[in-house]
Amino acid sequence: MENGNVIPVTLDANFFFERAVRSLDRFQYDKALKNFRKAVEYEPENPVNHCNMAGILSEMGKYEASNDILTHVLEEIDPSMTECHFYMANNYANMESFEEAERSLVTYLQEDASGEFMAESEELMELLQYELNRPAPLVRIRSREGVVEHDRARSLLEEGKFPQAVALLEEIVQNIPDFLAAHNNLALAYFYMGRFAKAKECLGEVLAQDPGNLHALCNMAIFLQYAGDREQLEGLVRMLEATVPFHQEHVFKMATTMGILGKHRTAYGHFRRLLKDEEVGGDASLYHYCAAAASNSGLESEAVRCWQLAAKLDPESAVPKFFLSQLQLAQAEGRPLPPVSYNYQLPFQEQLKQWKNNMGSFSEEVRNNPLLRASFFWALRYGDSSTKLQVTEALRWIGDDEMSEVLKGISEQEPLQETALLGLQRLIGGAPEENTIQRAVQEPVVPIHKGPPEWKEDWQRVIDHTAAVMDRRYDAVLKKDAELLWKQFISRLYPDVPLFRHTAGWCAALEYLTAKLHGHPLTYREAAQRYGVSVSMVSRYARRIHQVCGFPQDGAAADILPPFTENI
């Protein structure tokens, strides 16, 4: 045989790592473990290989063996890998060794600088406090140093007050150089201000301290794409494409980042992994994301399969049916389907087209669709002049108090002024005279409740308390959507509406879901702190509203846009 026909195989750690990942994707844990062990043999000083092996053992229920490996990493290889303490805490909890789990979790919280698993740690801490019937002996949480200032800086970023956010974040990173989340958010602040060089410099500082920081790596790739730096971008994208995150949040972060970068085949692989996760795998929107990635990759048969499953899971939604029909039409005409947005809703222009075909009227279901309304608001802020005019005309026909607020806000913008004033005229009556806007502000808002014949006091208490807390952070649009979401929740429960004993918990869940629908970065922990309730309560109530109202959660409703602020 000639040498030219022989393909050499390099047996190294990367070779066995890739084989392990393929086995893992097929849920072949024994084969994955065997290949991870071979990777460890080739690179025994690489702690990541050991942690991968420990993770597989934990998935297989071999918690003691997993902890033995994690202990070996901390004692013999890399004591700075504090996340090993968190993994060990989870293993001990699964073995019902709650005292040991508490010790490992406290060690993690006191030593870990990045706080990568802070939200998960809080939930685990609640479980341990319940099982041990006492609070944990926790003295300090290292990653929470400067947390109040950081929360304020994040609020400034969300409000668009970038110079003030930069000043505060610069002070935080100067005082606490290893506060990586603050560095990441400072990079975002610079990015939004167009200071790309400073943004890259900040992310460089994060990666110098933590070369594997996934948020920083993903954000860096997006920054490089916006800056047009193809040379650096290509190398980083190759590295990201070879990265296989294990944590659900990281998998979703990677999938959406690959979508932003146009690496749809890679995004498709990550979305497929998420579909195998029992916690989120039954979500119709996730099947749409996978279908969009497949379609954008030219995998038409897989796109059809995913949209069919989405239609089965969410039979009332027009989204999967629309894209299925568009794909069938494209196939009949012998052309590819145009790029598909990952957002789980009809394309914006299609929504406007349906409105026009319906003689300028919206059904009650469409009127109360938070995703459609969010698209309107986004288009008014960022669309071109033609789209803005179409949306302004459409808002006239939705005809509720929130639309009045929106039209008031744009009535002084040219060339939208005349259309907006006509919209206000239709909403409140009378001629578009000078005091039209003032009358709209002064007239009392009379809520119209659909569904239940009588609106109860404890239902309204949730709306009032949520609006009062949200008033300091959000505009009228989000507050109105929170109210609409709660009314939809009550209407779908009626007549079997329970007694809401924990008002604050429902309020926190309502704000959390509303923020997510509008793309605002809000965690369960932050929502819980604002309303003085537990993280588990917010999570439980949010899931309940999600189940009843049937819209995507945890950021799934937000389109794939430039990155938002990072949590602690």
Side-chain angles (χ1 to χ4, degrees):
M1 183 179 295
E2 296 181 2
N3 291 336
N5 294 328
V6 176
I7 301 175
V9 176
T10 303
L11 298 179
D12 57 12
N14 287 334
F15 173 81
F16 289 105
F17 173 82
E18 292 174 1
R19 288 173 62 90
V21 170
R22 287 197 295 270
S23 298
L24 188 61
D25 285 339
R26 301 186 184 101
F27 296 97
Q28 297 171 338
Y29 292 122
D30 288 334
K31 289 185 177 180
L33 180 60
K34 180 179 178 181
N35 283 290
F36 275 134
R37 279 180 172 151
K38 292 295 293 184
V40 167
E41 290 179 12
Y42 277 92
E43 292 184 357
E45 299 304 315
N46 186 339
V48 176
N49 292 332
H50 291 269
C51 287
N52 286 334
M53 191 162 59
I56 293 296
L57 288 168
S58 182
E59 289 289 333
M60 298 172 69
K62 299 179 180 180
Y63 305 116
E64 291 185 6
S66 176
N67 276 353
D68 288 342
I69 293 175
L70 294 169
T71 301
H72 175 71
V73 170
L74 289 168
E75 294 180 352
E76 304 294 338
I77 301 178
D78 188 357
S80 68
M81 289 197 68
T82 52
E83 60 266 36
C84 291
H85 293 291
F86 173 76
Y87 301 144
M88 292 172 68
N90 279 276
N91 284 336
Y92 281 127
N94 285 321
M95 291 189 289
E96 298 188 1
S97 299
F98 300 117
E99 294 278 0
E100 293 292 338
E102 181 187 65
R103 275 193 286 273
S104 293
L105 185 60
V106 167
T107 302
Y108 167 73
L109 292 171
Q110 292 180 342
E111 294 186 5
D112 185 75
S114 66
E116 180 181 1
F117 299 108
M118 180 57 63
E120 296 85 349
S121 295
E122 289 184 343
E123 293 188 5
L124 180 56
M125 186 66 75
E126 282 194 17
L127 169 67
L128 296 177
Q129 288 180 358
Y130 173 79
E131 295 291 347
L132 297 172
N133 197 28
R134 59 168 174 75
L138 186 59
V139 178
R140 70 181 181 92
I141 300 177
R142 185 181 178 190
S143 64
R144 296 295 297 274
E145 293 173 348
V147 65
V148 175
E149 296 83 357
H150 183 252
D151 283 345
R152 173 59 181 156
R154 290 183 61 245
S155 296
L156 290 170
L157 275 176
E158 293 160 14
E159 294 167 10
K161 299 175 181 178
F162 304 127
Q164 298 97 312
V166 164
L168 184 52
L169 287 165
E170 285 179 337
E171 181 180 348
I172 294 173
V173 298
Q174 182 177 357
N175 295 333
I176 314 172
D178 58 354
F179 199 154
L180 298 187
H183 280 284
N184 270 329
N185 285 334
L186 179 56
L188 290 175
Y190 284 137
F191 176 77
Y192 293 136
M193 294 173 69
R195 300 171 64 181
F196 299 122
K198 291 292 290 183
K200 288 172 60 179
E201 181 183 331
C202 284
L203 289 184
E205 293 176 4
V206 174
L207 295 171
Q209 297 185 55
D210 181 10
N213 189 295
L214 187 64
H215 283 279
L217 291 170
C218 289
N219 290 343
M220 177 67 84
I222 295 168
F223 290 4
L224 292 172
Q225 175 168 276
Y226 273 79
D229 192 340
R230 292 294 172 187
E231 184 176 350
Q232 290 192 54
L233 177 61
E234 288 177 3
L236 180 54
V237 169
R238 283 196 298 270
M239 185 181 71
L240 288 175
E241 286 184 303
T243 301
V244 183
F246 287 96
H247 194 271
Q248 181 191 105
E249 177 189 355
H250 288 170
V251 176
F252 190 81
K253 173 73 173 180
M254 184 68 77
T256 54
T257 299
M258 290 295 106
I260 294 173
L261 298 175
K263 301 295 181 180
H264 303 295
R265 183 66 70 97
T266 306
Y268 167 72
H270 290 304
F271 282 127
R272 279 198 62 191
R273 287 187 61 202
L274 286 172
L275 287 175
K276 297 174 183 177
D277 189 323
E278 293 183 359
E279 185 178 344
V280 295
D283 191 338
S285 63
L286 190 56
Y287 277 99
H288 169 74
Y289 304 151
C290 196
S295 177
N296 294 338
S297 302
L299 305 174
E300 295 183 350
S301 60
E302 181 62 17
V304 168
R305 186 185 72 85
C306 288
W307 273 319
Q308 287 175 340
L309 288 169
K312 184 177 180 180
L313 289 168
D314 189 7
E316 296 182 2
S317 173
V319 176
K321 299 171 187 175
F322 170 81
F323 285 108
L324 279 170
S325 66
Q326 291 296 301
L327 181 55
Q328 291 168 357
L329 178 61
Q331 290 174 331
E333 296 177 354
R335 58 175 175 83
L337 187 67
V340 177
S341 169
Y342 289 80
N343 204 351
Y344 186 55
Q345 61 178 339
L346 293 175
F348 186 66
Q349 292 298 329
E350 177 65 22
Q351 296 178 47
L352 290 180
K353 177 182 175 182
Q354 292 189 4
W355 164 71
K356 290 180 179 179
N357 293 340
N358 203 26
M359 301 296 290
S361 63
F362 290 97
S363 68
E364 188 68 24
E365 179 182 359
V366 172
R367 288 169 186 258
N368 294 326
N369 184 332
L371 291 175
L372 174 60
R373 300 167 79 91
S375 295
F376 283 165
F377 307 142
W378 181 265
L380 284 174
R381 293 186 179 103
Y382 303 108
D384 57 30
S385 57
S386 174
T387 301
K388 288 181 178 179
L389 285 170
Q390 293 182 71
V391 172
T392 305
E393 178 67 18
L395 291 181
R396 294 173 51 204
W397 298 98
I398 291 185
D400 61 21
D401 301 313
E402 180 189 22
M403 295 303 101
S404 177
E405 292 290 327
V406 173
L407 289 170
K408 282 186 299 179
I410 65 172
S411 61
E412 295 181 357
Q413 300 179 24
E414 294 290 351
L416 305 180
Q417 184 178 25
E418 181 179 355
T419 308
L421 288 175
L422 287 173
L424 280 171
Q425 175 189 356
R426 180 183 180 278
L427 287 173
I428 64 177
E433 53 197 18
E434 287 186 5
N435 65 344
T436 299
I437 298 177
Q438 184 177 359
R439 277 213 323 277
V441 175
Q442 293 175 347
E443 285 196 1
V445 177
V446 181
I448 301 174
H449 306 299
K450 303 293 182 180
E454 179 183 2
W455 192 253
K456 295 187 178 181
E457 182 178 351
D458 64 319
W459 304 346
Q460 185 63 35
R461 191 180 301 119
V462 173
I463 293 175
D464 294 342
H465 186 41
T466 305
V469 176
M470 292 180 70
D471 188 58
R472 297 188 293 273
R473 297 178 176 84
Y474 305 107
D475 57 20
V477 169
L478 269 80
K479 289 187 290 184
K480 188 66 180 181
D481 270 355
E483 179 181 348
L484 290 171
L485 175 57
W486 183 248
K487 290 177 179 177
Q488 182 186 31
F489 178 59
I490 296 296
S491 297
R492 293 196 177 187
L493 286 176
Y494 188 83
D496 300 318
V497 183
L499 178 63
F500 300 109
R501 300 183 184 277
H502 302 290
T503 299
W506 289 104
C507 294
L510 191 58
E511 178 176 340
Y512 172 83
L513 292 172
T514 305
K516 289 298 183 182
L517 283 171
H518 283 269
H520 287 270
L522 181 66
T523 64
Y524 287 133
R525 175 180 58 81
E526 290 169 328
Q529 288 177 341
R530 290 176 186 178
Y531 292 85
V533 296
S534 69
V535 173
S536 60
M537 180 180 290
V538 179
S539 174
R540 185 167 65 254
Y541 288 175
R543 284 197 298 269
R544 177 58 176 155
I545 297 175
H546 166 237
Q547 290 168 355
V548 172
C549 295
F551 60 86
Q553 190 176 339
D554 290 334
D559 205 349
I560 296 185
L561 299 168
F564 299 108
T565 56
E566 181 187 348
N567 300 327
I568 294 177

